[in-house]
Amino acid sequence: MGEFFVWSAFAGMLLTFFPVFLWLDAYVDIPKNRAWFSLSLFRHLKLFGGYGQLDREGIAVHLTEKKAVFVPYGKMADTRKKFEVTKGFQLWRLHQTVETGGAESVTGVMIAAALQTLGGGSFAYLRTKHPFLSLKNDTLISEEACFKVSFETALVFNGFVLGMAFMKKALEALINWIRKKRSTASLKKLRSN
């Protein structure tokens, strides 16, 4: 029985403080109006994936062949506020590759050079803020007309940070519930008088 307790405590400590890597791989094809994505743990344990398309009213995210989620443009600001990322989630890796057309024209080469310079400048700024961050920026020029972007990003966090973020959201929900109950109780009291 003592060994089980020791091994359970060890496993709990390991899961609490061991770093967890959350990978997001994405590929965007602008002319086809599609973006494919995959979300996984440690790059090998796939959580979910699918593709998204832009529509006039919003974004349709297809998780499976039969299941899709539609997010209207008007609700995107509210959705972003709900999924606030705390400082415990650190960006660990950001690699991007941009492929543009126009290898035969001067304009295509200038656009590719501008994209490479813009990416290099923004990555230099990120490198000063986060020296441990793995950054890579590539630009490819194709003979056919295209505009494709691929991203490979990774966030690192641990169970303690995840638990704290969950506790923060739970406390915010509890405080909002208490405020709502108090306002409802005071309204009932005013109506009875």
Side-chain angles (χ1 to χ4, degrees):
M1 186 69 171
E3 280 184 34
F4 177 73
F5 178 74
V6 170
W7 284 109
S8 298
F10 176 73
M13 293 291 283
L14 190 65
L15 290 174
T16 302
F17 298 109
F18 190 74
V20 177
F21 293 90
L22 182 67
W23 287 80
L24 173 67
D25 295 312
Y27 173 75
V28 180
D29 192 344
I30 303 290
K32 289 185 179 178
N33 189 24
R34 286 209 176 168
W36 292 267
F37 65 92
S38 173
L39 192 65
S40 59
L41 287 174
F42 300 107
R43 192 141 195 206
H44 299 290
L45 301 171
K46 185 177 175 183
L47 298 175
F48 62 90
Y51 69 94
Q53 286 182 297
L54 293 176
D55 198 329
R56 284 184 229 162
E57 291 86 25
I59 298 175
V61 180
H62 300 267
L63 300 173
T64 64
E65 289 183 20
K66 296 181 180 180
K67 184 177 180 181
V69 177
F70 187 75
V71 182
Y73 292 125
K75 292 187 179 180
M76 283 189 183
D78 296 335
T79 306
R80 186 180 60 85
K81 290 176 187 174
K82 287 180 184 176
F83 296 105
E84 177 183 331
V85 177
T86 64
K87 291 184 180 180
F89 295 87
Q90 295 293 322
L91 186 62
W92 179 69
R93 181 183 183 109
L94 177 60
H95 292 189
Q96 75 174 17
T97 303
V98 178
E99 182 180 353
T100 63
E104 302 294 325
S105 68
V106 176
T107 307
V109 174
M110 298 279 287
I111 289 172
L115 288 171
Q116 183 68 24
T117 304
L118 183 67
S122 61
F123 279 18
Y125 174 75
L126 284 172
R127 178 69 71 166
T128 60
K129 293 286 187 185
H130 308 286
F132 59 86
L133 187 59
S134 171
L135 296 167
K136 187 177 177 185
N137 179 36
D138 290 325
T139 305
L140 305 172
I141 303 174
S142 175
E143 291 182 6
E144 62 184 46
C146 66
F147 192 81
K148 303 172 186 175
V149 183
S150 65
F151 293 101
E152 180 182 282
T153 60
L155 288 173
V156 64
F157 59 94
N158 59 24
F160 180 73
V161 169
L162 194 61
M164 293 302 289
F166 177 74
M167 288 291 290
K168 178 185 172 193
K169 290 295 181 185
L171 286 174
E172 286 175 358
L174 179 66
I175 289 169
N176 288 335
W177 181 77
I178 290 171
R179 286 181 182 161
K180 185 178 176 182
K181 282 291 188 185
R182 283 186 182 170
S183 66
T184 306
S186 62
L187 281 174
K188 286 180 181 178
K189 190 176 182 180
L190 285 173
R191 287 181 187 166
S192 65
N193 290 334

